[in-house]
Amino acid sequence: MKKWIVSILLLMLALLLGGCENTDQGSEVSYQIYYLGSSGTELVTENYTPLPDTETRKEITEEILDKMKNPSSLDHQKVLPDEVEVVNCVLRNDKQVDLDFSEAYYDMDNVREILVRAAYVKTLTQIQDIETVSITVNQLPLVDSAGNEVGIMDADTFIVGTGAGINSYNYATLTLYFASEDGTRLVKEMRNVHYSTNSTLEKVVVEQLLKGPENESLRAVLPVDARILSISTKDGLCTIDFNADFNQAPLGTRTLPEVSLYAVVNSLNDSCKVQEVQFSVEGETQVAYQNQIDLSAPFGRNDELVNQVETESQAAGNSDIGVEMLFENSVF
């Protein structure tokens, strides 16, 4: 009997070890490489698996940058025009890659230029240990059509509406409001976003509020499970219908109900010029928000809750310690 039990255990162990070996072997990582579609006004993707001997982050990045110049489908185009080149690329230990483009970068029209940003950021941030991308042109920070520095970008910088294809993007600087550390006041946080033309700016603002603050000293104003069921604006009135989870306090915070509501109202007022907001939950306006605030009438802006003390921005580090040069002063 004991021998039979031992045999079963050994068989199970062998199966487990065999399973681990199979998991390790052939675990190839596939990437989505972004190109221009045939119309030249939208992004499309192709699956790509690096060569078997491509292992390091540097090697993978070089190979993917090269692949971005050579789409497999005849219906796809590389995102960079022939006259624009990636001159320099640096991998940093803070999970950032710096790309420097040639001066002809600014000859692109606005739609093409934003699609280039989106393609490089969304492609490169798939690589392990690359989370952000910084772009310079002729070694100077990239600026938008209004002369504002674009700054560091990540995959979430480019927002695509649910169910919508990736096409041209709008660019906006949002003024968002989150809760102070004690949950009793509103504090501003600025955020730059690119969002799909298939979405509305009002929806983008509320979705950014749902993501929560980037500043670690601030607190969420909406629960993570809250969802927008519908949103529309007419004559300065924005009507938002949330699911039932909206009617809960943000988990792990002491955010007051009025702070949560006016975070939405003030953010929409600053970013979209919305004058009033009508809230509803599952289509109902006759609701007491968190059992305290009547939602039946629209809400206008509230400046009394706003913390007037300026908060320190989270500046990105500029240290050159631990950088890895992929190539310099070369055409890629």
Side-chain angles (χ1 to χ4, degrees):
M1 183 67 178
K2 290 183 177 178
K3 290 183 178 180
W4 181 79
I5 293 174
V6 169
S7 298
I8 294 295
L9 291 173
L10 289 173
L11 178 61
M12 292 175 65
L13 180 61
L15 289 172
L16 287 171
L17 290 175
C20 290
E21 289 177 359
N22 289 334
T23 300
D24 291 339
Q25 293 175 351
S27 56
E28 296 177 333
V29 178
S30 180
Y31 297 90
Q32 295 284 315
I33 309 295
Y34 285 79
Y35 300 103
L36 282 183
S38 56
S39 67
T41 60
E42 62 179 0
L43 291 179
V44 294
T45 60
E46 293 180 7
N47 286 326
Y48 179 72
T49 301
L51 299 173
D53 58 349
T54 305
E55 297 178 351
T56 68
R57 183 178 67 151
K58 175 181 177 181
E59 291 170 340
I60 292 172
T61 304
E62 288 176 332
E63 189 171 321
I64 285 179
L65 285 172
D66 186 59
K67 180 59 182 171
M68 291 186 73
K69 298 189 301 179
N70 300 289
S72 300
S73 172
L74 295 176
D75 294 329
H76 300 162
Q77 312 170 49
K78 64 178 183 176
V79 290
L80 276 187
D82 291 337
E83 62 272 16
V84 184
E85 303 162 350
V86 179
V87 178
N88 190 19
C89 181
V90 179
L91 289 173
R92 298 184 180 276
N93 280 349
D94 57 358
K95 299 185 178 182
Q96 179 174 311
V97 60
D98 296 345
L99 294 177
D100 185 51
F101 290 90
S102 60
E103 196 165 0
Y105 184 96
Y106 284 124
D107 293 337
M108 293 185 288
D109 61 56
N110 289 342
V111 172
R112 182 70 175 267
E113 189 272 322
I114 292 179
L115 289 173
V116 166
R117 289 190 224 170
Y120 275 90
V121 172
K122 293 180 79 68
T123 298
L124 293 175
T125 52
Q126 296 172 67
I127 300 172
Q128 186 175 1
D129 292 329
I130 294 181
E131 295 180 355
T132 58
V133 177
S134 173
I135 291 179
T136 55
V137 179
N138 198 21
Q139 301 181 25
L140 296 175
L142 174 65
V143 296
D144 60 22
S145 57
N148 302 311
E149 286 192 16
V150 171
I152 297 171
M153 296 165 283
D154 60 22
D156 291 334
T157 302
F158 299 89
I159 302 164
V160 182
T162 303
I166 300 170
N167 47 41
S168 59
Y169 289 87
N170 291 322
Y171 176 78
T173 298
L174 306 181
T175 301
L176 304 177
Y177 289 85
F178 294 99
S180 57
E181 194 165 10
D182 63 2
T184 64
R185 307 285 292 173
L186 290 171
V187 182
K188 283 185 183 181
E189 181 177 277
M190 307 303 293
R191 191 171 299 180
N192 295 323
V193 297
H194 300 75
Y195 63 98
S196 168
T197 52
N198 293 311
S199 187
T200 65
L201 186 56
E202 290 86 349
K203 185 177 181 182
V204 171
V205 167
V206 179
E207 287 175 340
Q208 291 295 302
L209 291 174
L210 287 167
K211 286 183 178 182
E214 294 177 352
N215 188 330
E216 294 180 357
S217 67
L218 302 182
R219 299 293 175 259
V221 290
L222 299 175
V224 294
D225 292 327
R227 295 291 180 268
I228 304 168
L229 301 182
S230 66
I231 183 168
S232 61
T233 301
K234 184 177 181 180
D235 298 329
L237 174 66
C238 182
T239 302
I240 314 173
D241 187 33
F242 286 97
N243 66 349
D245 291 304
F246 167 72
N247 206 6
Q248 307 296 321
L251 188 64
T253 72
R254 297 171 292 173
T255 303
L256 297 177
E258 57 266 33
V259 169
S260 292
L261 290 178
Y262 284 108
V264 177
V265 176
N266 285 15
S267 296
L268 288 169
N269 177 259
D270 274 5
S271 299
C272 311
K273 308 305 179 186
V274 165
Q275 299 303 310
E276 292 184 308
V277 177
Q278 175 65 67
F279 295 95
S280 62
V281 179
E282 303 281 355
E284 295 291 331
T285 58
Q286 302 299 318
V287 176
Y289 180 64
Q290 296 186 33
N291 297 317
Q292 296 185 50
I293 302 177
D294 182 11
L295 297 183
S296 60
F299 289 76
R301 182 183 180 85
N302 184 326
D303 284 321
E304 293 181 0
L305 288 173
V306 177
N307 190 344
Q308 300 300 328
V309 178
E310 291 291 331
T311 59
E312 294 184 3
S313 60
Q314 294 176 304
N318 294 319
S319 173
D320 288 336
I321 298 175
V323 300
E324 185 176 8
M325 304 296 293
L326 268 69
F327 49 89
E328 186 173 14
N329 299 327
S330 59
V331 176
F332 214 96

